[in-house]
Amino acid sequence: MIGRREIGGYLELECFRGPMLHEGDIALNCGRACLEYLIELRNICTLWLPDFLCSSVPNLCCKAGVEVKTYHIGESFRAVLDFQIAEEEWLYLVDYYGQLTRGDVDEALAASGGRLIIDESQGYYREPWLDADTLYTCRKWFGVADGAFLHTKDGAKLARALPRSESFDKMGFLLGRFERSAGEFFTDSKINNVRFADEPMAGMSAITENLLRAIEYGDARARRRDNWSFLEEALGPSNLLALEAPAVPFMYPYMVMDPEGVRQDAAVEGVYIPEFWPNVSRDSGAGSAAIGYSSNILPLPVDQRYGRDDLNYLVGVLRSLL
């Protein structure tokens, strides 16, 4: 951060002034920071987490001194709320692939006595849920290195000011892939994903906010919807999941039995399919549904980078491998 006024010299990154989604909410450096913020703000001591979840969330709770209790996810990604949530305990609900319904949220609100956190990492375009704290992650939806938004149900904020994070030295993998292949910068992208485990809670960086103001959100919304529809038409009959089309999809979860080796073989053809939360299959406390989702879902891209020709190629590669 510069300590004095500077006028003239070489030009920097252009300053964009478009509106952001979730503007006015608390802008932070990452999704984990949103949860850390809520732990401090709400004085959370015990948190119920689903068994289908990235290990970074319980790890953060451990670091923050929060007791973790685990509940199961059942069919259609629904939370199995067959347990008692005690006074002062909080419930963490994840909107998997945008499949969460108003009824699901109402059930969770009733079960938790209103002490509810909703993770919209996979539902960035969704409005905040009434009577719940809602968090969003930017880098899973757009070409930024970090960034997240937190909407508190009552507008509450911490009394203390947070330092602002910086992203200038973390953009290399994004800039590199724009001009070269993803493979050249894959290691750097993994390093960026890992850094949030130890990065302290901070405000959103100026670079990330600036880039978010340059995004054509309406165009991205339309492209994602069209791409989901195409994949559902092509792959829906063989998908083991019964899906509702989200208002704005994150990825297309294509579930098949035992897709071992498919990711590696698809990567040879230039199709990169992530594996979400492989830690779940190794967790002795995870239920059968969570283990099945972790092992058998192929999350396929539907984002704004791609059009019909790209998805035709993707479907062709999958059909040749399955």
Side-chain angles (χ1 to χ4, degrees), residues 58-71:
N59 289 346
L60 169 64
C61 290
C62 182
K63 288 176 62 176
V66 174
E67 180 187 2
V68 169
K69 295 184 178 181
T70 304
Y71 68 91

Side-chain angles (χ1 to χ4, degrees), residues 7-216:
I7 299 176
Y10 63 88
L11 295 172
E12 68 270 28
L13 183 68
E14 290 297 318
C15 184
F16 302 110
R17 296 178 173 82
M20 298 185 294
L21 289 181
H22 312 299
E23 190 153 10
D25 286 336
I26 301 165
L28 298 170
N29 55 326
C30 63
R32 275 163 236 173
C34 292
L35 179 54
E36 185 178 354
Y37 193 104
L38 284 172
I39 289 171
E40 181 177 343
L41 179 68
R42 306 297 189 195
N43 193 27
I44 297 173
C45 296
T46 303
L47 184 61
W48 284 89
L49 298 178
D51 57 356
F52 186 40
L53 189 66
C54 174
S55 60
S56 64
V57 178
N59 289 346
L60 169 64
C61 290
C62 182
K63 288 176 62 176
V66 174
E67 180 187 2
V68 169
K69 295 184 178 181
T70 304
Y71 68 91
H72 293 311
I73 294 299
E75 293 184 4
S76 303
F77 305 112
R78 299 293 183 253
V80 181
L81 301 179
D82 58 353
F83 54 93
Q84 190 72 31
I85 302 175
E87 288 286 340
E88 307 304 323
E89 294 182 346
W90 283 69
L91 178 66
Y92 192 90
L93 193 66
V94 179
D95 184 9
Y96 301 102
Y97 298 102
Q99 298 296 297
L100 197 66
T101 69
R102 181 70 248 181
D104 298 328
V105 174
D106 288 342
E107 182 184 5
L109 283 167
S112 65
R115 298 179 301 278
L116 180 63
I117 300 168
I118 299 182
D119 183 335
E120 282 293 357
S121 295
Q122 298 185 6
Y124 193 85
Y125 278 79
R126 284 203 147 176
E127 292 291 328
W129 293 92
L130 188 65
D131 298 326
D133 294 323
T134 311
L135 61 89
Y136 304 87
T137 303
C138 309
R139 64 189 176 89
K140 295 181 179 180
W141 288 74
F142 306 107
V144 291
D146 43 42
F149 287 100
L150 171 63
H151 178 89
T152 56
K153 60 185 177 181
D154 51 6
K157 296 182 180 180
L158 291 175
R160 67 185 181 92
L162 296 177
R164 192 164 199 176
S165 62
E166 294 184 333
S167 300
F168 69 91
D169 57 344
K170 304 175 182 73
M171 302 286 294
F173 73 101
L174 293 169
L175 300 175
R177 186 173 184 182
F178 193 82
E179 296 186 326
R180 296 188 181 181
S181 68
E184 291 184 64
F185 303 93
F186 180 66
T187 299
D188 292 339
S189 72
K190 289 181 67 176
I191 291 172
N192 186 69
N193 288 338
V194 170
R195 73 177 168 97
F196 300 108
D198 298 314
E199 189 167 277
M201 178 173 61
M204 181 182 290
S205 77
I207 288 177
T208 295
E209 179 180 337
N210 190 46
L211 292 176
L212 290 173
R213 294 188 180 282
I215 293 170
E216 297 179 359

Side-chain angles (χ1 to χ4, degrees), residues 233-309:
E233 182 176 350
L235 301 175
S238 58
N239 193 343
L240 298 179
L241 288 173
L243 300 167
E244 295 292 333
V248 185
F250 169 59
M251 302 187 87
Y252 182 81
Y254 184 44
M255 187 169 176
V256 296
M257 288 305 298
D258 301 321
E260 186 175 356
V262 170
R263 288 180 174 83
Q264 292 81 358
D265 294 339
V268 173
E269 304 299 327
V271 175
Y272 307 118
I273 304 172
E275 182 179 9
F276 288 157
W277 312 330
N279 58 286
V280 171
S281 61
R282 302 188 297 267
D283 186 352
S284 60
S288 58
I291 292 173
Y293 293 149
S294 175
S295 302
N296 298 323
I297 288 179
L298 299 173
L300 305 179
V302 295
D303 61 76
Q304 55 273 12
R305 294 172 292 177
Y306 304 116
R308 190 59 54 90
D309 289 344

